[in-house]
Structures are given as structure tokens and as C-alpha cells.
Amino acid sequence: FDRKREREQIMRLLPKNARCFTDRSFVVEVEREWQLGNISNYDYLLALNSAAGRTFHDFSRYPVFPWVIADYQSSKLDLTDEKTFRDLTKPVGALNEERLEYFRTRLLGMQGMEEAFLYGTHYSAPGYVLYYLVRNMPEHMLCLQNGKFDAPDRMFHSLEHCFSCVLSNHADVKELIPEFYNPTGGFDFLINARGLQLGATQNGDRVHDVSLPPWAKSARDFLKKNRRALDSDICTDKLPRWIDLIFGCKSRGESAMEASNLFHRMAYLGPDDLDEMGSDEERFQAELQATEFGIVPDMLFCGPHPLREDPVGSDDFVAPDTGRASVDADNDGGLDIETDLPQGDQHAWEILDRPSQDGSDEFRLRGQSNPMVDANNGDKVLSISANAELTANQQLATPGGKAKASWSSTRDLSEQNDDTENISHLQNGDDEKASGADKMPRTIPLSGSGDWARGEKRPDDISWEQSFSSHDSNAPMKSKHTTLMSSTHAQSDTVSTKAWDMKVLSRNPVHGDTVSGCSIVYEPGSPNRPYLTTVSLDGRLMVHSVSLGVDDSDEQRKNILGTFSRFTSMGISRDSETQNPQVKMNPHRSYTASDPLACLVLTSDGHGGFVAFAGGHDDVVLAYGMNSACAVASVYSHRDAVTGLDLIERNHMGSSSAFWSEKATHLMVSGSWDATVKVWSVAVSAGETVSINREPLAELFDADSTIVCISATAVYSAGILICAGCADGSFVVWLCKDNGVKEVIYKEPARRGAGPCSAVKWVSEAGAVYLYACFSSGKVASFVLDNQKLSSVSAVSLGVPVTCLEYSNKILLAGCSDGGLRLIPIRSGCSFDSKPTLWNGVNGNTSPGLTCISISISSNGPHDDAARCICSTGAEDGSVVLFELKRVL
């Protein structure tokens, strides 16, 4: 429908031809079931919300639930004490008499005004819903806040603080949402399972998991006790008075005024009000204001709601029209459960359907003649019967997901473990004990690869095998071109089984927020003076010059803690916990963008200059000249934040391709939260001169969710390969052929609860093409391209969410959310070898999660024995670490 008014008019006509279970007869029947004690308070409120036009699919009309508990300070919750409960006979704005007096005084000053009101804010609005759900629906909050999270002090970080604001803040009269009373629906809105960087309050407290009251042992325990409070006898006695305020006789007019429950007139906007407006523009503005301010639910009861112990009698207190559907003329006002419901599903009724946990946006409607109930996955349709309690699938949607038409199962409370959400063991050394994606905390990758341009030879690019093992000095160099040959033809040596040692060179707090990309480059002929470029969610791009000093070689090597066992947990040199005084990081360049920067890739101009391409939350890709010390180009690339970037140099692809213009030197591939991938023509020339074509060469729309990482590579005589990792755990691989045809050659499906695909990486070696992908479920997987088809080869579970990935000559470095760095050896082809190496606490003893990795090898020549493998990692606290990797002989 183009207009909501038209939709409402159609809804009123539906009962004449199709049975609708949100009309007056439905309200009468469900109220009787509640009075008889057949359904719980929770399910009754869900049913009333549904009948009153509230839905989980619309934040402006989200279901409303009351604050029930008023004690968030005691160590023990006493549900037999009335002082534990909020006064449900009063609206939130009237709970504090002193504040209510302020509202009344202000109202007296509005006498004679057409828009007089008691409360200037509403108890339910999109901003309030997202305030509660920011941890599991961050994209929606970022859209509402123009790409940024709200100020940390205004974030939902403490139950006690939130309820205190509800009692005292003149602009805060919000109620709760159903998630606070549904332990089976998940508790991820209370814990920061995605590792979001929400900042710190003015008193220095980091905004992370929601601070729970002392009487709650865990997030699920809080929800269970909150649910018990809602269904307690004390709450049940007072609940009808709250229903009068929200859905009943005290929600409007003079009765609302007398009950101190009067809001701005926009909150009561209805179809009749819109019909009286003179122009479409006026109606549009009125609807927009009402949507942003908050809308009072449809009036269901015109008289006082009866108590549960009252005898079931007349239904005169039920309003004749719920506002969503009129009473069927042929209906006597009752609901015959045996005859009125559709055949084949006699216990189904339309209720607040919500998306599944895996990110689906395609919903199953309850109460259809052919209900979509999957017996295999355990879906439970909400039912109403004489002795059955209503149960609902309350799984929340992961933002950004597209239609999957699947639902999570609803489990009984008895099946839940009170402390299963205590996932700290995954971040404190016990991560290897966890197994299964359902035990993994979900995270949102905040960065791109931070890579050098794909396929472009770095000034420092030599083989690790040549650098660290003399008997491997004749190992073949990387092939300049990649061909679509079978993996069986690839010539590749097995990696040496020697262990590796890491030595920290420098640890520095560089940024004020998460480091979203890092990259190390060397000036030609300067093997001990690299430049480290970083970008961050604080909006800054920084370049540091690094002085590596002179390695004391023999003396320092004697300090290494012996030879470690093959590919087991590795130690760090004794001197690695202290910074090497010979290694210094000096600020060299700095640029500040107006919005967070989320990804980074570097390239050379071929004449000693370097250009950094950074994508940001302002939907722009920025090109920054490191010698020029300024932005040299930019392009408005997407309709949402740019979260992944990669570059392909022209040398590695035939000039006859449809993607190459005459002057182009690179192809830039970008991915975004808008679920699209775009390919751009870029020209980089001497003097860090950059030109980006304003129109993309190709746009790819096959991703099922928001894109969080990108990798691309050239395939000789075939085209370019692009891989995009998505927030729902899926990834898509495209082959863009030289003739301009774009084809999806592989699609990894999303897996429920697996979290995002956090990083992807193409690797071309010895004529073969491999793809490595990592997931926040802890899985790292490898794939091989064979005759334009991608096949799975190997996988390993690290037991902790993986957030970033880097590759160099037969090893993978995987950065994890627990602050640990894993080294995964690779044997023939792209098969993983044995157990990964683990270095704990790369960024310190209490290391924050790693978010990006870069590897670089310094050398004066291909056979330089003094070559050093220098790596850098960025972390979620804004710190950057430089360290050296050495093979233990």
C-alpha cells in the first residue's frame, strides 16, 4: 500500500471475505481465556498488542510491555513483597510525584493551546525500541543515528540506571518491550556478543554488556525472574489497571487526563484525522511526526478491564471496533474454536510473527489455511486451547538479513541453563573447550582486510621459505599470472614442521576507537624503516614511521625459550612483554574524516609514492596520498557504510577485458552494509595522482545480508574473482568475465547462530587459486578454484570467534576476539596442518579483541639472510602492536 490509511481501510473490509482473528470477537475470547487462567500474563499481553495493531515488524508500533519490577538494588528478589513491584495503576510519567507536579504545572501553562499535553514524549517509539535492542540490531541504530552510535552515557548500559531515568528524567517515560520477559527468545540484547564498540561513559566505564541488578546471576536468570514477576499474583492483581492505561478506557480523552496519561495529540493520530487534512503533504508530515514520536495502541476496551478473579460475564467493556478490523456482520461476536479457525490448523491464530534468528525477513503468517509449520525444526505455532498455555517463537532477527523463510524453534524454559550465556570462558583461556556454533558469541567485523592491492608486488615481497630456511632458498616465487587450472596441477611444497616464535617490538595506543584496518609498507632500499598506516572507527587515518633498529641477532636469540613442540601453544620471548627500545613509532601523517573509517587498502603510484584507500560510514571511499598528506580523490560509492575494499592491479589482467578503460591502472572493489558490491575504475599515477570513475563498472546484488568484508583477485584470460562475506555467515563468489558477464559461481549458505563471515582472502600460488574464509563461529575454512568452480578443501575450529585473517607463504594468521593470535600452517594445496599455534594476549595480558592484521617482510634482495617478518595487529581498544615472527630452528 502507498499509504497507511489505505491499508487500514482494506483491513476493515477483510472480515467480510476472510476470517481475521484480531477483531472484537478475538479480544473477547482471549480475555476470557486469561480470566480462566488458561493463558499467562505474558501471552495475554502479546495477544492484546497484536489486536491493537502492534507488531515486531514495525518499530513505530512495537509491542508494549510494562515495567514490573522496581527493585534493582537488592541482592535478593522478593516477589512476595509489594514494594518490589512498580505501581501498575499509574503510567510511568506519574510514578514520581515530584516530576508529575512539574508536568501538571507545564500543562496549566498550555491552557488555550490546541496541542496541550502532559507528556512531551511517549512510552513507545522507534528510538526507545532500538535503545533496548542496539546490541543485536546495531545497523538499525546506526541508520537512526546517521552512521554513529548514540553518546555512551545515553546508551542502554545498566538496568538500575535505566529505571532511575524512567523515574526522574522529564523526557523519559518509556515502558519495556517483550524481550525483557521471554527467556526462550534469547538474551543477546543484554550482552555485547557482537563485540560492538559502544564507547565509555564520562566516568570512564566501558559500555559493554548491560549491567544487571545484584539479584540476577546472569542475563537469562534476569529474564526468568522478570517473567516470574510478570506472572506473579501481585502483578496479576494490578495488570488490568495498566491495560486500562495502554489499551483501555484510560488511554484517551478525559479519562486519560484524569489518570495523568495524556500525550501529545500526534500520538492519537488515526485514519479519521488524516481524512480531515487538506493535502497529501499535510497528511505525510502528520504521519511522519506520529511515527517518530510514538503512537498510542488501538483502543480495545471501553470500560474497566475485569480482574482475573472476577466472574466471567458480559463483554460490554470490550470496544466495538479494535481499530484494525471491524466485526463480521455474520458473526455473533463469539469465536468458535472448533469451527471458526481454518481447517487443518484449528489451534492457530494470527499473532506477532517475528523474524528468525538467522536473519530472515520473510515471515510465516499464523492462522492460514495451509500453515507453514516445519515439524523437523521444531517450530511451535501459537495456539489457544482450554488447558494449553500460549507459546511463541520469540527469536530476534539479525539485522540486514534477506528472506530465508526459516524459523528458530521455541524451547521450554526447563531446557535452558541459567548460566549458558556466561561466555567469558571463551575469552579467558577456555575457548578450546567450546564446540558448536551455538556456543559462539556473535560479533560484527568492523574492518576490511587492510591489505596491499591484490596481486600487486610489494617492494618487500619475498618468500618466507627463502627468508627463514636456507634449504628452501630455491622455492619458486609467486606466479605473476593466475590461471583457471585444476588444483591437482598446482606445484606446492609442504610447509616445514618447525615451530614459530613471536617477539613484540612495540605496543602503542594509537586511536581512540577500534582499529579497523592496518598495513605495513617499506620504501625501496629502506628495510628497517617501514611505514604503518591505520584507520579507525574514530574517523582518523594515521601514518607512523617505524624505526626497527638493528637486530642483536645471536645474543637476543639466546633468550628464546627453547624449541617448542610442533604446532602447539607457543610462548613469547622473555623480552617480548617489554617494548624494544630500538623500535620507535613516530607520527608521520594524520587525516580526520567526519565519520568512522571501516576498511583500508594501500597501493603504490610506481614512483615512490603510496595511496591509501579507506571506506567509511559516510558511504564514501577516500583516497589519501601519504606523501601528499591530503585526500587526493573520493567517490560516493554506496547507500550505506563501506565495510570492505580491495584493489587489483592492471598488470595481472589482459587489457582487452571489458572492465579496463584505457587509462585505468587498478580496479577497486567495494562492499557495503547496503548488501551490494561494486567495481570501480581507478587510475593511479606519479605524484600520488588518483582518478576514480564516478560510475561503477559493475554492481552485484546477490548477497543475502549486509557485507562486512571483501576480497578480489585477477584470473588470467578469464576475468576477476570477487568474494563478499556477509553478516549472516554466508559469503558469495562472483566471476566477472572479460566479456562483461557476471556470474555467481559459489554461495556459502548462512547457518543459524553462526555469526558473520568476518574475513575472506584470495591467494594465488603456483597457478592455483585458493580462498580462505573465517567466521565468528570460530571456523576457518579453505577452498580451491577448479574449472571455474569453488570446492571446499579443509576447515579448522579455533574455538573462539575469528575477526581477521592474513596470509603469507603457507601460513595463515588469524586474529580472534579473545585477543589471541593463531598461526595456522598449510601443507599441500590449501589443506590445514595439525593444530594451530596460539599466542595469547598479543596486545597485553588482558588483550582486547584483534580486528586487523598486516604482514610484511623487509629485505634488501631475494636472498637477504637478514630479512625480517614484521607483523602488525590492531585491536578494538585502538591499540596497535608491532611484532616479529621467527622460525625456531
Side-chain angles (χ1 to χ4, degrees):
F1 299 98
D2 294 332
R3 306 193 61 79
K4 296 177 183 177
R5 179 166 55 89
E6 296 173 356
R7 180 192 67 187
E8 297 296 329
Q9 291 173 344
I10 295 298
M11 285 295 292
R12 289 186 173 85
L13 297 175
L14 284 178
K16 297 180 180 180
N17 299 297
R19 183 68 61 190
C20 178
F21 300 111
T22 58
D23 58 14
R24 184 181 186 276
S25 61
F26 170 81
V27 177
V28 171
E29 186 65 23
V30 77
E31 189 279 330
R32 287 176 178 171
E33 292 295 326
W34 177 79
Q35 273 198 279
L36 293 172
N38 293 332
I39 60 176
S40 66
N41 293 342
Y42 173 80
D43 294 313
Y44 183 45
L45 291 178
L46 275 183
L48 295 184
N49 272 283
S50 179
R54 315 298 287 190
T55 170
F56 288 104
H57 308 324
D58 186 347
F59 290 137
S60 65
R61 290 175 172 82
Y62 209 75
V64 186
F65 269 61
W67 285 93
V68 172
I69 296 175
D71 181 6
Y72 296 93
Q73 297 179 336
S74 300
S75 59
K76 185 177 180 180
L77 187 66
D78 186 0
L79 296 181
T80 63
D81 186 355
E82 290 194 5
K83 295 181 180 178
T84 301
F85 295 82
R86 163 258 180 108
D87 187 353
L88 289 171
T89 66
K90 299 178 181 179
V92 169
L95 294 177
N96 184 332
E97 286 295 333
E98 183 178 348
R99 183 178 62 168
L100 179 59
E101 189 59 33
Y102 164 82
F103 290 139
R104 287 171 173 168
T105 301
R106 185 178 64 178
L107 178 61
L108 290 175
M110 298 179 184
Q111 287 185 350
M113 296 175 56
E114 182 182 358
E115 299 184 359
F117 54 85
L118 193 62
Y119 306 121
T121 57
H122 199 248
Y123 50 76
S124 177
Y128 297 155
V129 176
L130 293 176
Y131 168 84
Y132 291 129
L133 301 180
V134 62
R135 287 167 177 79
N136 62 348
M137 293 188 178
E139 279 98 341
H140 295 287
M141 174 61 79
L142 292 172
C143 289
L144 189 68
Q145 297 285 342
N146 295 321
K148 297 181 180 180
F149 291 117
D150 203 353
D153 286 281
R154 294 197 296 267
M155 298 286 284
F156 179 39
H157 64 275
S158 165
L159 263 302
E160 180 184 355
H161 178 267
C162 182
F163 188 69
S164 176
C165 289
V166 165
L167 294 180
S168 58
N169 192 327
H170 292 172
D172 191 353
V173 294
K174 59 179 173 286
E175 292 279 11
L176 293 181
I177 55 178
E179 284 77 1
F180 281 84
Y181 299 97
N182 185 25
T184 64
F187 47 81
D188 50 352
F189 73 101
L190 294 174
I191 63 172
N192 191 12
R194 299 168 180 261
L196 302 176
Q197 298 303 305
L198 304 177
T201 61
Q202 293 181 2
N203 59 13
D205 295 333
R206 181 188 177 194
V207 179
H208 192 52
D209 295 344
V210 176
S211 177
L212 303 174
W215 46 259
K217 295 184 298 182
S218 63
R220 180 172 282 118
D221 183 59
F222 168 78
L223 298 182
K224 285 187 175 183
K225 290 177 178 176
N226 224 24
R227 175 68 170 269
R228 286 201 293 268
L230 176 65
D231 288 327
S232 66
D233 292 339
I234 294 177
C235 179
T236 301
D237 291 341
K238 302 293 184 182
L239 187 60
R241 304 290 72 83
W242 183 84
I243 292 175
D244 289 341
L245 296 169
I246 306 300
F247 305 105
C249 58
K250 296 181 180 180
S251 63
R252 289 167 171 80
E254 290 297 328
S255 297
M257 183 66 177
E258 294 173 1
S260 300
N261 194 35
L262 185 66
F263 297 89
H264 192 280
R265 72 183 186 93
M266 281 298 172
Y268 306 98
L269 191 69
D272 293 339
D273 302 306
L274 294 174
D275 289 338
E276 295 175 359
M277 296 180 181
S279 65
D280 289 340
E281 179 63 24
E282 186 180 359
R283 283 189 286 268
F284 173 77
Q285 292 298 329
E287 287 181 322
L288 181 62
Q289 291 180 40
T291 298
E292 294 179 349
F293 175 82
I295 301 172
V296 173
D298 295 337
M299 187 174 178
L300 303 179
F301 307 103
C302 56
H305 191 289
L307 303 179
R308 174 167 276 180
E309 60 267 20
D310 290 343
V312 177
S314 172
D315 58 10
D316 293 342
F317 64 94
V318 179
D321 188 349
T322 66
R324 285 192 65 194
S326 59
V327 180
D328 190 340
D330 298 330
N331 195 356
D332 60 1
L335 178 63
D336 188 341
I337 296 178
E338 298 298 328
T339 60
D340 282 359
L341 289 175
Q343 295 298 318
D345 188 23
Q346 294 189 347
H347 297 294
W349 53 291
E350 186 196 28
I351 190 63
L352 301 163
D353 292 338
R354 41 190 336 178
S356 69
Q357 186 70 29
D358 67 351
S360 304
D361 284 336
E362 186 170 302
F363 316 121
R364 300 178 180 179
L365 295 179
R366 309 307 192 199
Q368 299 299 318
S369 58
N370 183 21
M372 300 171 63
V373 181
D374 188 351
N376 295 325
N377 66 16
D379 274 355
K380 297 182 180 181
V381 176
L382 290 174
S383 61
I384 183 170
S385 63
N387 298 305
E389 176 177 329
L390 297 175
T391 58
N393 183 339
Q394 295 298 321
Q395 296 296 327
L396 281 171
T398 301
K402 286 190 177 181
K404 292 290 184 189
S406 61
W407 284 78
S408 318
S409 63
T410 303
R411 293 171 292 177
D412 295 333
L413 294 179
S414 60
E415 297 175 353
Q416 304 299 326
N417 187 319
D418 284 353
D419 297 312
T420 54
E421 71 275 23
N422 291 334
I423 60 175
S424 60
H425 67 278
L426 294 176
Q427 302 174 350
N428 292 285
D430 294 334
D431 48 335
E432 304 299 338
K433 299 178 183 179
S435 64
D438 58 327
K439 297 183 180 180
M440 295 298 104
R442 295 186 298 278
T443 60
I444 291 183
L446 300 172
S447 65
S449 62
D451 288 340
W452 190 261
R454 182 73 61 234
E456 181 174 336
K457 184 176 177 60
R458 300 177 183 240
D460 55 309
D461 194 6
I462 66 171
S463 168
W464 276 44
E465 301 301 324
Q466 293 172 340
S467 303
F468 295 102
S469 182
S470 58
H471 70 272
D472 287 334
S473 59
N474 295 322
M477 298 293 289
K478 290 183 179 180
S479 174
K480 184 175 181 180
H481 298 287
T482 300
T483 58
L484 283 172
M485 62 182 293
S486 171
S487 61
T488 58
H489 298 157
Q491 302 296 323
S492 101
D493 299 328
T494 301
V495 68
S496 172
T497 59
K498 300 181 181 65
W500 295 85
D501 177 50
M502 183 188 75
K503 175 181 176 181
V504 174
L505 302 176
S506 179
R507 182 180 293 118
N508 296 275
V510 174
H511 290 279
D513 207 334
T514 299
V515 181
S516 50
C518 63
S519 184
I520 304 174
V521 295
Y522 288 85
E523 288 190 19
S526 301
N528 291 319
R529 298 191 65 86
Y531 287 96
L532 173 63
T533 305
T534 57
V535 293
S536 168
L537 297 184
D538 64 6
R540 301 185 68 190
L541 182 153
M542 300 191 69
V543 182
H544 285 79
S545 62
V546 182
S547 175
L548 295 178
V550 180
D551 189 5
D552 293 336
S553 60
D554 294 340
E555 287 299 321
Q556 293 188 4
R557 287 171 185 167
K558 292 178 181 179
N559 292 329
I560 297 177
L561 298 176
T563 303
F564 306 102
S565 59
R566 178 185 179 187
F567 306 125
T568 57
S569 180
M570 311 298 285
I572 301 177
S573 301
R574 287 190 179 96
D575 57 350
S576 64
E577 286 303 316
T578 58
Q579 297 186 27
N580 189 331
Q582 295 178 332
V583 177
K584 297 181 180 179
M585 284 181 55
N586 302 307
H588 181 64
R589 296 282 189 263
S590 179
Y591 176 85
T592 302
S594 59
D595 288 277
L597 297 176
C599 48
L600 171 72
V601 63
L602 264 67
T603 189
S604 169
D605 68 356
H607 295 78
F610 299 96
V611 178
F613 290 82
H617 286 195
D618 57 358
D619 317 339
V620 171
V621 174
L622 167 80
Y624 179 84
M626 291 172 55
N627 292 335
S628 305
C630 65
V632 294
S634 65
V635 62
Y636 182 82
S637 54
H638 290 270
R639 295 184 178 180
D640 210 331
V642 182
T643 51
L645 282 178
D646 209 347
L647 286 172
I648 302 173
E649 192 183 16
R650 186 180 187 122
N651 295 352
H652 295 261
M653 193 171 179
S655 58
S656 61
S657 170
F659 291 99
W660 291 104
S661 64
E662 181 179 352
K663 296 182 179 180
T665 60
H666 296 75
L667 292 180
M668 180 177 72
V669 182
S670 62
S672 168
W673 276 348
D674 64 7
T676 66
V677 174
K678 297 183 180 182
V679 182
W680 309 82
S681 177
V682 178
V684 180
S685 55
E688 299 177 341
T689 302
V690 178
S691 174
I692 306 175
N693 197 315
R694 298 297 173 183
E695 294 296 326
L697 299 171
E699 297 185 61
L700 309 173
F701 301 98
D702 301 284
D704 289 332
S705 181
T706 55
I707 291 170
V708 295
C709 56
I710 284 287
S711 184
T713 190
V715 181
Y716 183 74
S717 75
I720 60 174
L721 285 168
I722 300 173
C723 180
C726 302
D728 63 357
S730 65
F731 68 80
V732 187
V733 178
W734 294 270
L735 174 61
C736 299
K737 300 181 179 180
D738 288 344
N739 60 7
V741 175
K742 301 176 286 293
E743 178 185 358
V744 175
I745 63 171
Y746 186 85
K747 201 168 187 178
E748 178 78 4
R751 289 176 173 81
R752 181 174 300 165
C757 174
S758 47
V760 290
K761 183 83 173 179
W762 286 109
V763 173
S764 301
E765 283 186 329
V769 182
Y770 306 116
L771 175 69
Y772 298 96
C774 64
F775 305 82
S776 64
S777 64
K779 175 185 173 182
V780 179
S782 63
F783 304 80
V784 64
L785 186 71
D786 187 0
N787 296 322
Q788 300 189 21
K789 294 182 179 180
L790 200 68
S791 303
S792 177
V793 175
S794 185
V796 62
S797 178
L798 302 184
V800 66
V802 186
T803 54
C804 48
L805 196 69
E806 184 59 283
Y807 174 91
S808 184
N809 292 78
K810 292 301 176 184
I811 68 163
L812 277 176
L813 285 181
C816 302
S817 65
D818 64 350
L821 185 68
R822 272 80 171 171
L823 184 150
I824 306 175
I826 299 173
R827 40 193 176 86
S828 179
C830 59
S831 298
F832 298 137
D833 187 8
S834 189
K835 184 178 180 180
T837 297
L838 166 63
W839 290 294
N840 285 315
V842 173
N843 286 56
N845 292 329
T846 57
S847 178
L850 302 183
T851 53
C852 55
I853 307 174
S854 179
I855 301 177
S856 186
I857 302 175
S858 65
S859 173
N860 288 321
H863 302 287
D864 183 10
D865 293 334
R868 306 174 68 182
C869 174
I870 305 300
C871 303
S872 67
T873 60
E876 61 184 12
D877 67 346
S879 63
V880 174
V881 172
L882 284 173
F883 56 92
E884 182 175 3
L885 287 183
K886 293 184 179 180
R887 192 187 294 276
V888 179
L889 302 178

